[in-house]
Amino acid sequence: MKSGIHPDYHFITVQMTDGTSYQTRSTWGKDGDTLALEIDPTAHPAWTGGRGGMLDSGGQVARFNKRFGGLTLGKK
């Protein structure tokens, strides 16, 4: 291996949104730094299975359905 081309891996502490933390090796920051996460697997709906609803701002979905609701893709 060539010397001087690899990143410096060191231990950091990762702090989750619920206050728990763990140590891991990373190239982020300096040795002993704490990385505080704003979104993590314990809080984000993508990982927790949360159900995201479609937002209908200003009735746009209703307007779309009114204009194009009668269209079908099947053959007649």
Side-chain angles (χ1 to χ4, degrees), residues 36-74:
L37 299 179
E38 295 176 8
I39 298 175
D40 63 20
T42 62
H44 196 277
W47 288 293
T48 59
R51 189 172 169 278
M54 186 184 326
L55 297 176
D56 186 9
S57 60
Q60 291 182 8
V61 174
R63 230 176 38 222
F64 177 85
N65 287 335
K66 183 178 175 184
R67 286 179 68 186
F68 302 109
L71 296 178
T72 58
L73 296 175

Side-chain angles (χ1 to χ4, degrees), residues 1-7:
M1 286 191 179
K2 288 186 176 180
S3 62
I5 63 167
H6 298 284

Side-chain angles (χ1 to χ4, degrees), residues 7-75:
D8 175 38
Y9 285 99
H10 46 270
F11 282 99
I12 64 165
T13 303
V14 178
Q15 186 172 10
M16 308 287 260
T17 57
D18 63 356
T20 60
S21 62
Y22 63 93
Q23 270 199 332
T24 187
R25 292 185 58 166
S26 176
T27 58
W28 181 85
K30 297 181 185 115
D31 192 21
D33 282 353
T34 300
L35 174 64
L37 299 179
E38 295 176 8
I39 298 175
D40 63 20
T42 62
H44 196 277
W47 288 293
T48 59
R51 189 172 169 278
M54 186 184 326
L55 297 176
D56 186 9
S57 60
Q60 291 182 8
V61 174
R63 230 176 38 222
F64 177 85
N65 287 335
K66 183 178 175 184
R67 286 179 68 186
F68 302 109
L71 296 178
T72 58
L73 296 175
K75 294 182 179 180

